[in-house]
Each structure stands twice: as C-alpha cells, then as structure tokens.
Amino acid sequence: MIKVVCDTNVYISAFLFGGKPEEIIAMARNNEIELLISEYILAEVSGVLKRKFGWTDEQISLTLEELRTITRLVTPGTRLEVIHEDEADNRFLECAMAGEAKYIITGDSRHLRPLKEYRGICILSPAEFLLALRETTSD
C-alpha cells in the first residue's frame, strides 16, 4: 500500500472545503492508501482549526479522533533542517522519512513543493498526487 503524509493545509482543506484533499482523506478511510501522521501534525491541525477557523474544543477533538482512526501514527526519530524559511515544514519531511512514505501531499507552494523530491519522497499537490496515482494504477 502506498504510504502518504499530508501537510496540515491538505487536512484543513479537506475538512472545510472538500474537493481533491477530501478525495485523499476518503482514500485513507477506504484503505486505498496508508496515511501517516505524527503528533506534531495532529497538534498543528488542532491549532489551525482553533486559531484560524474558531472551531470548538469538541469539534477539534472529534476530528482528531477520526484522524487517528484512519492514519498510522509515526514517531520521527531524526530532526531535519532542510527547509530554513519555514522550519516547521521540516516536521512533514521527518514524518515521511520515519514512516518510509512515498509521497508528501501539500498545498505549500512556497517551501515544500519547490523541493519536488526529498530522498526519494515525491512532494506533490493534491491534484498532482491523484493524477500520479491514476497513472500508476492504469499501467
């Protein structure tokens, strides 16, 4: 099964707006991909939902509970310093490395996506990931 790490913005987009990010979350629910997550990513999702979107603690708790059921928790053992402009983005690389992910899916076009690839991990937008997945399954 393909292992994937999603950036916080993918989760937020899936929960609030649907579309391609929601398709990716649905794939994890249906066991079509293995979605990897870390405590850092869970905390960041929680913080963004509270600070930027005013979600209640109960709404956040229920959402994180569901996330925990459709993801595999990974504990990164290595601290990376690849992205200097937004140091927190390194946490996604760490999670992907620790879980041996094939993809990082992100809407971050400033720091993560410009890397395109890190140590064999492809860094794609949600649309690019879905397209790549369709291409590999049609071969």
Side-chain angles (χ1 to χ4, degrees), residues 4-18 20-22 24-26 28-29 33-38 40-46 48-49 53 55 63-64 66-68 70-72 92 95 105-107 126:
V4 174
V5 170
C6 287
D7 191 354
T8 303
N9 57 54
V10 174
Y11 290 113
I12 300 299
S13 293
F15 302 148
L16 297 173
F17 311 113
K20 293 183 185 338
E22 170 47 29
I24 294 164
I25 302 303
R29 274 191 203 104
I33 60 172
E34 184 174 15
L35 197 52
L36 308 174
I37 202 161
S38 67
Y40 172 84
I41 297 170
L42 287 165
E44 187 171 87
V45 167
S46 172
V48 170
L49 288 171
F53 298 99
W55 281 33
T63 300
L64 294 185
E66 184 202 353
L67 264 184
R68 287 181 186 277
I70 64 167
T71 59
R72 180 167 65 89
F92 301 98
C95 182
I105 306 169
T106 181

mmCIF file of all heavy atoms in Angstrom, residues 4-18 20-22 24-26 28-29 33-38 40-46 48-49 53 55 63-64 66-68 70-72 92 95 105-107 126:
data_model
loop_
_atom_site.group_PDB
_atom_site.id
_atom_site.type_symbol
_atom_site.label_atom_id
_atom_site.label_comp_id
_atom_site.label_asym_id
_atom_site.label_seq_id
_atom_site.Cartn_x
_atom_site.Cartn_y
_atom_site.Cartn_z
ATOM 1 N N VAL A 4 1.615 7.755 2.539
ATOM 2 C CA VAL A 4 1.471 9.163 2.227
ATOM 3 C C VAL A 4 1.462 9.994 3.506
ATOM 4 O O VAL A 4 0.879 9.575 4.510
ATOM 5 C CB VAL A 4 0.132 9.376 1.476
ATOM 6 C CG1 VAL A 4 -0.141 10.840 1.241
ATOM 7 C CG2 VAL A 4 0.112 8.599 0.175
ATOM 8 N N VAL A 5 2.098 11.158 3.458
ATOM 9 C CA VAL A 5 1.998 12.151 4.527
ATOM 10 C C VAL A 5 1.319 13.379 3.932
ATOM 11 O O VAL A 5 1.725 13.851 2.866
ATOM 12 C CB VAL A 5 3.389 12.544 5.083
ATOM 13 C CG1 VAL A 5 3.287 13.749 6.016
ATOM 14 C CG2 VAL A 5 4.029 11.363 5.795
ATOM 15 N N CYS A 6 0.276 13.869 4.599
ATOM 16 C CA CYS A 6 -0.394 15.099 4.163
ATOM 17 C C CYS A 6 0.028 16.261 5.049
ATOM 18 O O CYS A 6 0.133 16.113 6.263
ATOM 19 C CB CYS A 6 -1.915 14.945 4.239
ATOM 20 S SG CYS A 6 -2.592 13.900 2.952
ATOM 21 N N ASP A 7 0.236 17.395 4.416
ATOM 22 C CA ASP A 7 0.525 18.636 5.121
ATOM 23 C C ASP A 7 -0.763 19.127 5.788
ATOM 24 O O ASP A 7 -1.874 18.763 5.377
ATOM 25 C CB ASP A 7 1.032 19.660 4.100
ATOM 26 C CG ASP A 7 1.614 20.911 4.720
ATOM 27 O OD1 ASP A 7 1.540 21.075 5.952
ATOM 28 O OD2 ASP A 7 2.144 21.745 3.963
ATOM 29 N N THR A 8 -0.620 19.951 6.791
ATOM 30 C CA THR A 8 -1.772 20.494 7.518
ATOM 31 C C THR A 8 -2.787 21.140 6.583
ATOM 32 O O THR A 8 -3.991 20.952 6.745
ATOM 33 C CB THR A 8 -1.292 21.533 8.558
ATOM 34 O OG1 THR A 8 -0.352 20.887 9.423
ATOM 35 C CG2 THR A 8 -2.448 22.077 9.373
ATOM 36 N N ASN A 9 -2.310 21.878 5.585
ATOM 37 C CA ASN A 9 -3.249 22.575 4.702
ATOM 38 C C ASN A 9 -4.128 21.612 3.912
ATOM 39 O O ASN A 9 -5.242 21.952 3.552
ATOM 40 C CB ASN A 9 -2.529 23.577 3.790
ATOM 41 C CG ASN A 9 -1.461 22.937 2.945
ATOM 42 O OD1 ASN A 9 -1.690 21.980 2.227
ATOM 43 N ND2 ASN A 9 -0.252 23.479 3.026
ATOM 44 N N VAL A 10 -3.660 20.395 3.676
ATOM 45 C CA VAL A 10 -4.480 19.392 2.984
ATOM 46 C C VAL A 10 -5.621 18.950 3.899
ATOM 47 O O VAL A 10 -6.774 18.863 3.473
ATOM 48 C CB VAL A 10 -3.623 18.192 2.521
ATOM 49 C CG1 VAL A 10 -4.501 17.088 1.935
ATOM 50 C CG2 VAL A 10 -2.574 18.644 1.505
ATOM 51 N N TYR A 11 -5.297 18.699 5.179
ATOM 52 C CA TYR A 11 -6.348 18.317 6.131
ATOM 53 C C TYR A 11 -7.377 19.433 6.290
ATOM 54 O O TYR A 11 -8.582 19.187 6.253
ATOM 55 C CB TYR A 11 -5.755 17.971 7.498
ATOM 56 C CG TYR A 11 -4.978 16.688 7.511
ATOM 57 C CD1 TYR A 11 -3.604 16.682 7.719
ATOM 58 C CD2 TYR A 11 -5.615 15.469 7.310
ATOM 59 C CE1 TYR A 11 -2.885 15.504 7.728
ATOM 60 C CE2 TYR A 11 -4.894 14.281 7.315
ATOM 61 C CZ TYR A 11 -3.532 14.302 7.524
ATOM 62 O OH TYR A 11 -2.825 13.133 7.525
ATOM 63 N N ILE A 12 -6.898 20.660 6.456
ATOM 64 C CA ILE A 12 -7.803 21.794 6.649
ATOM 65 C C ILE A 12 -8.709 21.946 5.429
ATOM 66 O O ILE A 12 -9.930 22.107 5.562
ATOM 67 C CB ILE A 12 -7.013 23.101 6.906
ATOM 68 C CG1 ILE A 12 -6.122 22.978 8.164
ATOM 69 C CG2 ILE A 12 -7.954 24.294 6.987
ATOM 70 C CD1 ILE A 12 -6.850 22.706 9.458
ATOM 71 N N SER A 13 -8.140 21.871 4.242
ATOM 72 C CA SER A 13 -8.933 21.979 3.015
ATOM 73 C C SER A 13 -9.959 20.854 2.922
ATOM 74 O O SER A 13 -11.105 21.081 2.531
ATOM 75 C CB SER A 13 -8.026 21.947 1.784
ATOM 76 O OG SER A 13 -7.229 23.105 1.739
ATOM 77 N N ALA A 14 -9.553 19.641 3.283
ATOM 78 C CA ALA A 14 -10.481 18.505 3.239
ATOM 79 C C ALA A 14 -11.656 18.719 4.177
ATOM 80 O O ALA A 14 -12.812 18.507 3.804
ATOM 81 C CB ALA A 14 -9.745 17.219 3.598
ATOM 82 N N PHE A 15 -11.376 19.162 5.412
ATOM 83 C CA PHE A 15 -12.434 19.341 6.418
ATOM 84 C C PHE A 15 -13.366 20.493 6.083
ATOM 85 O O PHE A 15 -14.558 20.430 6.345
ATOM 86 C CB PHE A 15 -11.841 19.588 7.805
ATOM 87 C CG PHE A 15 -10.942 18.493 8.299
ATOM 88 C CD1 PHE A 15 -9.875 18.796 9.130
ATOM 89 C CD2 PHE A 15 -11.140 17.174 7.947
ATOM 90 C CE1 PHE A 15 -9.030 17.805 9.596
ATOM 91 C CE2 PHE A 15 -10.301 16.173 8.407
ATOM 92 C CZ PHE A 15 -9.245 16.486 9.238
ATOM 93 N N LEU A 16 -12.822 21.574 5.520
ATOM 94 C CA LEU A 16 -13.612 22.786 5.324
ATOM 95 C C LEU A 16 -14.162 22.963 3.909
ATOM 96 O O LEU A 16 -15.222 23.561 3.744
ATOM 97 C CB LEU A 16 -12.773 24.020 5.691
ATOM 98 C CG LEU A 16 -12.326 24.098 7.145
ATOM 99 C CD1 LEU A 16 -11.377 25.252 7.353
ATOM 100 C CD2 LEU A 16 -13.525 24.223 8.075
ATOM 101 N N PHE A 17 -13.439 22.471 2.918
ATOM 102 C CA PHE A 17 -13.812 22.798 1.542
ATOM 103 C C PHE A 17 -14.056 21.579 0.653
ATOM 104 O O PHE A 17 -14.596 21.727 -0.440
ATOM 105 C CB PHE A 17 -12.741 23.688 0.905
ATOM 106 C CG PHE A 17 -12.365 24.863 1.768
ATOM 107 C CD1 PHE A 17 -11.099 24.962 2.329
ATOM 108 C CD2 PHE A 17 -13.285 25.860 2.062
ATOM 109 C CE1 PHE A 17 -10.748 26.032 3.143
ATOM 110 C CE2 PHE A 17 -12.956 26.940 2.875
ATOM 111 C CZ PHE A 17 -11.688 27.019 3.416
ATOM 112 N N GLY A 18 -13.612 20.384 1.070
ATOM 113 C CA GLY A 18 -13.822 19.186 0.252
ATOM 114 C C GLY A 18 -12.836 19.110 -0.896
ATOM 115 O O GLY A 18 -11.651 19.366 -0.737
ATOM 116 N N LYS A 20 -10.369 17.844 -3.909
ATOM 117 C CA LYS A 20 -9.314 16.837 -4.037
ATOM 118 C C LYS A 20 -8.710 16.438 -2.684
ATOM 119 O O LYS A 20 -8.449 15.251 -2.451
ATOM 120 C CB LYS A 20 -8.247 17.303 -5.025
ATOM 121 C CG LYS A 20 -8.799 17.371 -6.453
ATOM 122 C CD LYS A 20 -7.764 17.764 -7.452
ATOM 123 C CE LYS A 20 -8.274 17.951 -8.853
ATOM 124 N NZ LYS A 20 -9.494 17.315 -9.267
ATOM 125 N N PRO A 21 -8.485 17.382 -1.756
ATOM 126 C CA PRO A 21 -7.998 16.954 -0.433
ATOM 127 C C PRO A 21 -8.955 15.967 0.246
ATOM 128 O O PRO A 21 -8.517 14.976 0.836
ATOM 129 C CB PRO A 21 -7.901 18.270 0.342
ATOM 130 C CG PRO A 21 -7.612 19.282 -0.722
ATOM 131 C CD PRO A 21 -8.471 18.843 -1.880
ATOM 132 N N GLU A 22 -10.255 16.181 0.133
ATOM 133 C CA GLU A 22 -11.219 15.258 0.712
ATOM 134 C C GLU A 22 -11.154 13.895 0.024
ATOM 135 O O GLU A 22 -11.303 12.857 0.667
ATOM 136 C CB GLU A 22 -12.634 15.846 0.641
ATOM 137 C CG GLU A 22 -13.761 14.903 0.988
ATOM 138 C CD GLU A 22 -13.610 14.060 2.247
ATOM 139 O OE1 GLU A 22 -12.951 14.454 3.224
ATOM 140 O OE2 GLU A 22 -14.166 12.948 2.238
ATOM 141 N N ILE A 24 -8.522 12.487 -1.051
ATOM 142 C CA ILE A 24 -7.347 11.816 -0.481
ATOM 143 C C ILE A 24 -7.684 11.240 0.902
ATOM 144 O O ILE A 24 -7.334 10.106 1.212
ATOM 145 C CB ILE A 24 -6.140 12.778 -0.441
ATOM 146 C CG1 ILE A 24 -5.723 13.115 -1.879
ATOM 147 C CG2 ILE A 24 -4.985 12.184 0.359
ATOM 148 C CD1 ILE A 24 -4.826 14.313 -2.030
ATOM 149 N N ILE A 25 -8.387 12.008 1.727
ATOM 150 C CA ILE A 25 -8.799 11.521 3.045
ATOM 151 C C ILE A 25 -9.731 10.325 2.881
ATOM 152 O O ILE A 25 -9.625 9.335 3.609
ATOM 153 C CB ILE A 25 -9.483 12.648 3.865
ATOM 154 C CG1 ILE A 25 -8.555 13.855 4.029
ATOM 155 C CG2 ILE A 25 -9.972 12.130 5.215
ATOM 156 C CD1 ILE A 25 -7.228 13.587 4.678
ATOM 157 N N ALA A 26 -10.640 10.388 1.906
ATOM 158 C CA ALA A 26 -11.552 9.272 1.636
ATOM 159 C C ALA A 26 -10.778 8.015 1.227
ATOM 160 O O ALA A 26 -11.151 6.902 1.605
ATOM 161 C CB ALA A 26 -12.564 9.659 0.567
ATOM 162 N N ALA A 28 -7.880 7.167 2.327
ATOM 163 C CA ALA A 28 -7.350 6.595 3.566
ATOM 164 C C ALA A 28 -8.462 5.860 4.318
ATOM 165 O O ALA A 28 -8.240 4.757 4.842
ATOM 166 C CB ALA A 28 -6.739 7.683 4.442
ATOM 167 N N ARG A 29 -9.657 6.454 4.366
ATOM 168 C CA ARG A 29 -10.805 5.802 5.022
ATOM 169 C C ARG A 29 -11.103 4.443 4.392
ATOM 170 O O ARG A 29 -11.501 3.517 5.060
ATOM 171 C CB ARG A 29 -12.059 6.679 4.898
ATOM 172 C CG ARG A 29 -12.201 7.710 5.946
ATOM 173 C CD ARG A 29 -13.600 8.346 5.899
ATOM 174 N NE ARG A 29 -13.526 9.645 6.513
ATOM 175 C CZ ARG A 29 -13.521 10.804 5.862
ATOM 176 N NH1 ARG A 29 -13.644 10.846 4.547
ATOM 177 N NH2 ARG A 29 -13.435 11.930 6.525
ATOM 178 N N ILE A 33 -4.906 3.953 0.527
ATOM 179 C CA ILE A 33 -3.569 4.462 0.804
ATOM 180 C C ILE A 33 -3.352 4.374 2.313
ATOM 181 O O ILE A 33 -4.323 4.298 3.078
ATOM 182 C CB ILE A 33 -3.377 5.937 0.347
ATOM 183 C CG1 ILE A 33 -4.371 6.867 1.054
ATOM 184 C CG2 ILE A 33 -3.458 6.058 -1.165
ATOM 185 C CD1 ILE A 33 -4.130 8.357 0.809
ATOM 186 N N GLU A 34 -2.089 4.350 2.719
ATOM 187 C CA GLU A 34 -1.775 4.400 4.148
ATOM 188 C C GLU A 34 -1.349 5.824 4.472
ATOM 189 O O GLU A 34 -0.322 6.299 3.995
ATOM 190 C CB GLU A 34 -0.670 3.415 4.516
ATOM 191 C CG GLU A 34 -0.404 3.396 6.001
ATOM 192 C CD GLU A 34 0.594 2.335 6.422
ATOM 193 O OE1 GLU A 34 1.309 1.785 5.561
ATOM 194 O OE2 GLU A 34 0.668 2.066 7.640
ATOM 195 N N LEU A 35 -2.167 6.492 5.268
ATOM 196 C CA LEU A 35 -1.921 7.882 5.633
ATOM 197 C C LEU A 35 -1.133 7.915 6.941
ATOM 198 O O LEU A 35 -1.585 7.386 7.954
ATOM 199 C CB LEU A 35 -3.267 8.599 5.786
ATOM 200 C CG LEU A 35 -3.305 10.108 5.785
ATOM 201 C CD1 LEU A 35 -2.581 10.705 4.589
ATOM 202 C CD2 LEU A 35 -4.759 10.573 5.782
ATOM 203 N N LEU A 36 0.053 8.507 6.890
ATOM 204 C CA LEU A 36 0.930 8.595 8.059
ATOM 205 C C LEU A 36 0.780 9.967 8.699
ATOM 206 O O LEU A 36 0.630 10.970 7.998
ATOM 207 C CB LEU A 36 2.385 8.373 7.635
ATOM 208 C CG LEU A 36 2.682 7.120 6.818
ATOM 209 C CD1 LEU A 36 4.129 7.122 6.368
ATOM 210 C CD2 LEU A 36 2.350 5.859 7.600
ATOM 211 N N ILE A 37 0.853 10.001 10.016
ATOM 212 C CA ILE A 37 0.710 11.263 10.737
ATOM 213 C C ILE A 37 1.600 11.219 11.973
ATOM 214 O O ILE A 37 1.955 10.131 12.445
ATOM 215 C CB ILE A 37 -0.780 11.519 11.096
ATOM 216 C CG1 ILE A 37 -1.047 12.998 11.332
ATOM 217 C CG2 ILE A 37 -1.231 10.635 12.258
ATOM 218 C CD1 ILE A 37 -2.516 13.375 11.227
ATOM 219 N N SER A 38 1.973 12.383 12.472
ATOM 220 C CA SER A 38 2.767 12.466 13.710
ATOM 221 C C SER A 38 1.997 13.303 14.721
ATOM 222 O O SER A 38 1.034 13.995 14.369
ATOM 223 C CB SER A 38 4.124 13.105 13.419
ATOM 224 O OG SER A 38 3.954 14.468 13.048
ATOM 225 N N TYR A 40 3.066 15.935 16.022
ATOM 226 C CA TYR A 40 3.263 17.328 15.605
ATOM 227 C C TYR A 40 2.170 17.739 14.618
ATOM 228 O O TYR A 40 1.585 18.817 14.740
ATOM 229 C CB TYR A 40 4.644 17.535 14.970
ATOM 230 C CG TYR A 40 4.749 18.914 14.374
ATOM 231 C CD1 TYR A 40 5.099 20.001 15.165
ATOM 232 C CD2 TYR A 40 4.415 19.152 13.040
ATOM 233 C CE1 TYR A 40 5.138 21.285 14.643
ATOM 234 C CE2 TYR A 40 4.442 20.432 12.513
ATOM 235 C CZ TYR A 40 4.804 21.492 13.322
ATOM 236 O OH TYR A 40 4.820 22.766 12.804
ATOM 237 N N ILE A 41 1.910 16.902 13.611
ATOM 238 C CA ILE A 41 0.906 17.233 12.593
ATOM 239 C C ILE A 41 -0.478 17.323 13.231
ATOM 240 O O ILE A 41 -1.238 18.255 12.951
ATOM 241 C CB ILE A 41 0.936 16.213 11.429
ATOM 242 C CG1 ILE A 41 2.295 16.259 10.717
ATOM 243 C CG2 ILE A 41 -0.203 16.501 10.445
ATOM 244 C CD1 ILE A 41 2.525 15.134 9.714
ATOM 245 N N LEU A 42 -0.797 16.386 14.116
ATOM 246 C CA LEU A 42 -2.087 16.441 14.814
ATOM 247 C C LEU A 42 -2.232 17.746 15.595
ATOM 248 O O LEU A 42 -3.279 18.397 15.552
ATOM 249 C CB LEU A 42 -2.237 15.240 15.756
ATOM 250 C CG LEU A 42 -2.501 13.897 15.083
ATOM 251 C CD1 LEU A 42 -2.266 12.750 16.068
ATOM 252 C CD2 LEU A 42 -3.909 13.840 14.507
ATOM 253 N N ALA A 43 -1.170 18.135 16.289
ATOM 254 C CA ALA A 43 -1.205 19.374 17.079
ATOM 255 C C ALA A 43 -1.347 20.596 16.176
ATOM 256 O O ALA A 43 -2.071 21.544 16.507
ATOM 257 C CB ALA A 43 0.048 19.491 17.942
ATOM 258 N N GLU A 44 -0.670 20.587 15.042
ATOM 259 C CA GLU A 44 -0.765 21.726 14.132
ATOM 260 C C GLU A 44 -2.165 21.830 13.525
ATOM 261 O O GLU A 44 -2.722 22.928 13.417
ATOM 262 C CB GLU A 44 0.295 21.641 13.031
ATOM 263 C CG GLU A 44 0.306 22.912 12.201
ATOM 264 C CD GLU A 44 1.470 22.994 11.232
ATOM 265 O OE1 GLU A 44 1.322 22.474 10.117
ATOM 266 O OE2 GLU A 44 2.499 23.596 11.590
ATOM 267 N N VAL A 45 -2.753 20.704 13.145
ATOM 268 C CA VAL A 45 -4.125 20.706 12.620
ATOM 269 C C VAL A 45 -5.066 21.284 13.675
ATOM 270 O O VAL A 45 -5.881 22.163 13.396
ATOM 271 C CB VAL A 45 -4.567 19.285 12.199
ATOM 272 C CG1 VAL A 45 -6.074 19.220 11.952
ATOM 273 C CG2 VAL A 45 -3.797 18.824 10.959
ATOM 274 N N SER A 46 -4.922 20.814 14.908
ATOM 275 C CA SER A 46 -5.747 21.293 16.016
ATOM 276 C C SER A 46 -5.602 22.802 16.197
ATOM 277 O O SER A 46 -6.590 23.537 16.302
ATOM 278 C CB SER A 46 -5.340 20.564 17.303
ATOM 279 O OG SER A 46 -5.971 21.127 18.412
ATOM 280 N N VAL A 48 -4.538 25.141 14.081
ATOM 281 C CA VAL A 48 -5.047 25.927 12.956
ATOM 282 C C VAL A 48 -6.576 25.966 12.986
ATOM 283 O O VAL A 48 -7.180 27.026 12.766
ATOM 284 C CB VAL A 48 -4.527 25.368 11.606
ATOM 285 C CG1 VAL A 48 -5.246 26.009 10.423
ATOM 286 C CG2 VAL A 48 -3.020 25.581 11.489
ATOM 287 N N LEU A 49 -7.215 24.831 13.265
ATOM 288 C CA LEU A 49 -8.677 24.812 13.327
ATOM 289 C C LEU A 49 -9.195 25.753 14.410
ATOM 290 O O LEU A 49 -10.205 26.433 14.229
ATOM 291 C CB LEU A 49 -9.187 23.387 13.566
ATOM 292 C CG LEU A 49 -9.050 22.433 12.377
ATOM 293 C CD1 LEU A 49 -9.384 21.013 12.795
ATOM 294 C CD2 LEU A 49 -9.925 22.874 11.208
ATOM 295 N N PHE A 53 -9.978 29.200 12.389
ATOM 296 C CA PHE A 53 -11.346 28.903 11.976
ATOM 297 C C PHE A 53 -12.328 28.849 13.141
ATOM 298 O O PHE A 53 -13.508 28.594 12.943
ATOM 299 C CB PHE A 53 -11.380 27.604 11.158
ATOM 300 C CG PHE A 53 -10.571 27.721 9.893
ATOM 301 C CD1 PHE A 53 -9.279 27.216 9.846
ATOM 302 C CD2 PHE A 53 -11.073 28.373 8.780
ATOM 303 C CE1 PHE A 53 -8.514 27.347 8.686
ATOM 304 C CE2 PHE A 53 -10.318 28.509 7.636
ATOM 305 C CZ PHE A 53 -9.037 27.997 7.582
ATOM 306 N N TRP A 55 -12.904 26.772 15.571
ATOM 307 C CA TRP A 55 -13.556 25.520 15.955
ATOM 308 C C TRP A 55 -13.533 25.365 17.466
ATOM 309 O O TRP A 55 -12.579 25.795 18.137
ATOM 310 C CB TRP A 55 -12.855 24.340 15.306
ATOM 311 C CG TRP A 55 -13.220 24.115 13.865
ATOM 312 C CD1 TRP A 55 -13.549 25.059 12.936
ATOM 313 C CD2 TRP A 55 -13.263 22.859 13.197
ATOM 314 N NE1 TRP A 55 -13.794 24.462 11.736
ATOM 315 C CE2 TRP A 55 -13.628 23.109 11.858
ATOM 316 C CE3 TRP A 55 -13.016 21.552 13.586
ATOM 317 C CZ2 TRP A 55 -13.766 22.097 10.918
ATOM 318 C CZ3 TRP A 55 -13.151 20.536 12.662
ATOM 319 C CH2 TRP A 55 -13.530 20.811 11.333
ATOM 320 N N THR A 63 -12.697 15.541 15.413
ATOM 321 C CA THR A 63 -11.953 15.484 14.161
ATOM 322 C C THR A 63 -10.630 14.749 14.348
ATOM 323 O O THR A 63 -10.270 13.886 13.535
ATOM 324 C CB THR A 63 -11.710 16.911 13.614
ATOM 325 O OG1 THR A 63 -12.985 17.525 13.404
ATOM 326 C CG2 THR A 63 -10.929 16.889 12.328
ATOM 327 N N LEU A 64 -9.916 15.054 15.424
ATOM 328 C CA LEU A 64 -8.641 14.373 15.683
ATOM 329 C C LEU A 64 -8.858 12.892 15.973
ATOM 330 O O LEU A 64 -8.049 12.048 15.564
ATOM 331 C CB LEU A 64 -7.896 15.040 16.837
ATOM 332 C CG LEU A 64 -7.397 16.463 16.597
ATOM 333 C CD1 LEU A 64 -6.576 16.954 17.779
ATOM 334 C CD2 LEU A 64 -6.590 16.579 15.318
ATOM 335 N N GLU A 66 -11.216 11.023 14.692
ATOM 336 C CA GLU A 66 -11.412 10.370 13.401
ATOM 337 C C GLU A 66 -10.081 10.237 12.656
ATOM 338 O O GLU A 66 -9.782 9.196 12.078
ATOM 339 C CB GLU A 66 -12.400 11.134 12.517
ATOM 340 C CG GLU A 66 -12.647 10.360 11.231
ATOM 341 C CD GLU A 66 -13.156 11.165 10.062
ATOM 342 O OE1 GLU A 66 -13.473 12.355 10.224
ATOM 343 O OE2 GLU A 66 -13.206 10.589 8.961
ATOM 344 N N LEU A 67 -9.272 11.301 12.682
ATOM 345 C CA LEU A 67 -7.964 11.241 12.021
ATOM 346 C C LEU A 67 -7.125 10.092 12.564
ATOM 347 O O LEU A 67 -6.473 9.383 11.805
ATOM 348 C CB LEU A 67 -7.210 12.559 12.219
ATOM 349 C CG LEU A 67 -7.293 13.587 11.124
ATOM 350 C CD1 LEU A 67 -6.412 14.781 11.436
ATOM 351 C CD2 LEU A 67 -6.960 13.017 9.775
ATOM 352 N N ARG A 68 -7.155 9.906 13.862
ATOM 353 C CA ARG A 68 -6.367 8.830 14.470
ATOM 354 C C ARG A 68 -6.841 7.453 14.001
ATOM 355 O O ARG A 68 -6.049 6.514 13.958
ATOM 356 C CB ARG A 68 -6.413 8.913 15.994
ATOM 357 C CG ARG A 68 -5.593 10.067 16.554
ATOM 358 C CD ARG A 68 -5.668 10.086 18.085
ATOM 359 N NE ARG A 68 -5.015 11.239 18.654
ATOM 360 C CZ ARG A 68 -3.698 11.330 18.891
ATOM 361 N NH1 ARG A 68 -2.907 10.336 18.581
ATOM 362 N NH2 ARG A 68 -3.198 12.417 19.435
ATOM 363 N N ILE A 70 -7.990 6.742 10.942
ATOM 364 C CA ILE A 70 -7.695 6.484 9.522
ATOM 365 C C ILE A 70 -6.224 6.696 9.177
ATOM 366 O O ILE A 70 -5.847 6.594 8.010
ATOM 367 C CB ILE A 70 -8.581 7.357 8.603
ATOM 368 C CG1 ILE A 70 -8.292 8.845 8.784
ATOM 369 C CG2 ILE A 70 -10.056 7.035 8.810
ATOM 370 C CD1 ILE A 70 -8.901 9.738 7.712
ATOM 371 N N THR A 71 -5.401 7.000 10.177
ATOM 372 C CA THR A 71 -3.974 7.226 9.941
ATOM 373 C C THR A 71 -3.144 6.270 10.788
ATOM 374 O O THR A 71 -3.644 5.650 11.715
ATOM 375 C CB THR A 71 -3.569 8.672 10.314
ATOM 376 O OG1 THR A 71 -3.869 8.903 11.694
ATOM 377 C CG2 THR A 71 -4.283 9.700 9.458
ATOM 378 N N ARG A 72 -1.865 6.180 10.446
ATOM 379 C CA ARG A 72 -0.920 5.441 11.293
ATOM 380 C C ARG A 72 0.022 6.463 11.910
ATOM 381 O O ARG A 72 0.667 7.242 11.200
ATOM 382 C CB ARG A 72 -0.123 4.415 10.490
ATOM 383 C CG ARG A 72 0.868 3.631 11.375
ATOM 384 C CD ARG A 72 1.438 2.415 10.697
ATOM 385 N NE ARG A 72 2.261 2.712 9.548
ATOM 386 C CZ ARG A 72 3.579 2.931 9.596
ATOM 387 N NH1 ARG A 72 4.228 2.937 10.743
ATOM 388 N NH2 ARG A 72 4.252 3.157 8.484
ATOM 389 N N PHE A 92 7.129 17.612 8.431
ATOM 390 C CA PHE A 92 6.471 16.750 7.449
ATOM 391 C C PHE A 92 7.486 15.839 6.776
ATOM 392 O O PHE A 92 7.212 14.663 6.536
ATOM 393 C CB PHE A 92 5.688 17.595 6.437
ATOM 394 C CG PHE A 92 4.648 18.427 7.116
ATOM 395 C CD1 PHE A 92 4.891 19.757 7.415
ATOM 396 C CD2 PHE A 92 3.453 17.866 7.530
ATOM 397 C CE1 PHE A 92 3.953 20.516 8.092
ATOM 398 C CE2 PHE A 92 2.509 18.618 8.214
ATOM 399 C CZ PHE A 92 2.759 19.945 8.498
ATOM 400 N N CYS A 95 8.322 13.109 9.341
ATOM 401 C CA CYS A 95 7.263 12.103 9.415
ATOM 402 C C CYS A 95 7.349 11.161 8.211
ATOM 403 O O CYS A 95 7.271 9.938 8.368
ATOM 404 C CB CYS A 95 5.890 12.788 9.478
ATOM 405 S SG CYS A 95 4.494 11.646 9.628
ATOM 406 N N ILE A 105 1.951 15.142 0.414
ATOM 407 C CA ILE A 105 0.948 15.906 -0.334
ATOM 408 C C ILE A 105 0.765 17.231 0.386
ATOM 409 O O ILE A 105 0.497 17.261 1.589
ATOM 410 C CB ILE A 105 -0.377 15.133 -0.407
ATOM 411 C CG1 ILE A 105 -0.133 13.737 -0.976
ATOM 412 C CG2 ILE A 105 -1.384 15.903 -1.256
ATOM 413 C CD1 ILE A 105 -1.308 12.809 -0.853
ATOM 414 N N THR A 106 0.907 18.321 -0.371
ATOM 415 C CA THR A 106 0.884 19.641 0.244
ATOM 416 C C THR A 106 0.345 20.703 -0.707
ATOM 417 O O THR A 106 0.495 20.579 -1.920
ATOM 418 C CB THR A 106 2.301 20.054 0.712
ATOM 419 O OG1 THR A 106 2.239 21.340 1.324
ATOM 420 C CG2 THR A 106 3.304 20.080 -0.431
ATOM 421 N N GLY A 107 -0.263 21.707 -0.137
ATOM 422 C CA GLY A 107 -0.655 22.888 -0.900
ATOM 423 C C GLY A 107 0.375 23.995 -0.751
ATOM 424 O O GLY A 107 0.207 25.085 -1.285
ATOM 425 N N PRO A 126 -2.304 18.065 -4.053
ATOM 426 C CA PRO A 126 -3.352 17.043 -4.086
ATOM 427 C C PRO A 126 -3.718 16.621 -5.518
ATOM 428 O O PRO A 126 -3.831 15.423 -5.801
ATOM 429 C CB PRO A 126 -4.528 17.722 -3.378
ATOM 430 C CG PRO A 126 -3.858 18.642 -2.395
ATOM 431 C CD PRO A 126 -2.670 19.174 -3.155
#
